[in-house]
Amino acid sequence: MKTLALIVLLLSQITKLNAQTPHLSGKVEVVMATGQITCDFVLSNIPNLGKNYQILLNKGFNIKAIKDAANQTLKYSGFYNGAMRGEGLIYTPLYKDSTLVNPGKLHITYTGAFPVYTDTLNFIDFKGLIAFNGKTMRATDQSKWYPIIYDIKNDRQIEQMTFNIQVTSKDAKMIFVNGDEPKPGPAASFKSEVPIAPMIFAGDYGVQKTKGALFLNSQMDDKQLEVFENNIAEMKAYYFGALNIPYDTKNIFIAHSPVEKFNKGRSWGFVSFPTIAFAGIALGDMIDVQQHKLKDSTDYPFIAHEIGHYYFGNVLQPNSTLFWFFLESTAEYLSVKAAEKKFGKTFSSRYFAERGKQLKNFKAKPLNKIKDANEISGTYRYAYGPFLLRGLEQMIGEKRMFKFLNTCLVSKNELTDYNFFKRNALESGITPKEWEAYEKEFIISENAVSLIK
């Protein structure tokens, strides 16, 4: 009877989980030549959030209509003097001038056109941009090219969902939607029964398959692919051993041209798990085939940072005030540890010494005083945050540091604010006295860089 009761309980929990996972279905048309995107989507299985939700959609889109489950056209707020959340405008379906309660299903149609960058480039390129470069286009979850639900009460964007969509692009030879296989254009259907953020990458590019990964638009030869894949496997094995959480998922690696002018030597990457995209560098140029390694030791942590987002970004999906700290500072810290394992202590010593010089005049707002996620600037999240994590490691040791990170990773559905940071530190075995000392020396300081030995 106990076994039967347990099975019933588990089934009910699975049913509840699936009911709370949004599902996206419908059609999207992409015109590569003009940068136009037209979507006709049904968003169903919307979590029961009462009135505590918003619909986020890229600011470049114009909504044709929002309809309910009965196909009735709804009023909605956001079309006039709309507010922004990240890269998306905030829309709220209405019923009698008040937020529609628990819509369950919404039918949303919209269209927009985005610049096609060829010879004239933008001043910036980043994950939140819907980018057409004349050869390929990409749009990620951060760009909000599909409707994303914002859970107001829990301060989280529900970007991952199951989907079944058809993509048409008459001038695209290949189309890929994160969560499915790349398929030849001009039209293809994509589906995922596992919740995932459906990034789209379409255009004129080739696909290469290896035992452990897919490579889109990489143009590497077989020897280069082998070296690249071996390095990735090494990083994953290190993270598994350190964090005690396996990394079994196959990655998709994308090489694409940025829509921002990059100076020589600059490159950039982002993750929409399990896809990892790189801009500004030919992946094959990283490889020394003769020595069977990456040519430049700095390429190793560069790639390891993106690999590390499997843990901080996917296993743990940050939100709230320390969103950027738990997304980027942790991934950067892990990449330094991976490179330290590969190249020795001299690498990490040089890393922190060089960045310490760059941060000499940096003034940080203490993490326990952060009230808004965007108070953690790019310099803070990528450069200063890793110093705070290194400082904790310096006080408690590497083994206990990884236990702390594991404790954070296995926490579910919590706000990643300062209380989350402190609580998980204490739950991992860090004593109140140790935390008090760490907080006094590193957290409260406006610049703790000089404390790193």
Side-chain angles (χ1 to χ4, degrees), residues 25-39:
S25 60
K27 299 178 180 180
V28 53
E29 181 179 5
V30 177
V31 182
M32 300 289 294
T34 62
Q36 184 170 315
I37 302 174
T38 302
C39 297

Side-chain angles (χ1 to χ4, degrees), residues 81-100:
N81 197 26
M84 296 283 294
R85 187 174 295 282
E87 286 66 50
L89 274 168
I90 296 171
Y91 296 97
T92 306
L94 302 177
Y95 176 73
K96 293 183 179 180
D97 298 322
S98 181
T99 301
L100 179 66

Side-chain angles (χ1 to χ4, degrees), residues 107-152:
H107 181 187
I108 308 175
T109 52
Y110 54 91
T111 190
F114 302 85
V116 180
Y117 292 97
T118 52
D119 54 341
T120 300
L121 299 180
N122 197 2
F123 83 101
I124 187 68
D125 191 5
F126 69 112
K127 184 182 177 184
L129 205 66
I130 294 177
F132 289 81
N133 62 28
K135 182 183 177 183
T136 62
M137 71 79 65
R138 67 156 207 273
T140 70
D141 51 291
Q142 186 177 330
S143 72
K144 299 172 178 62
W145 74 274
Y146 60 95
I148 287 174
I149 303 159
Y150 175 67
D151 178 350
I152 297 173

Side-chain angles (χ1 to χ4, degrees), residues 328-345:
E328 297 295 354
S329 300
T330 49
E332 183 65 10
Y333 169 78
L334 285 176
S335 75
V336 176
K337 294 301 294 181
E340 183 180 76
K341 176 67 174 179
K342 176 77 171 178
F343 304 113
K345 295 282 187 181

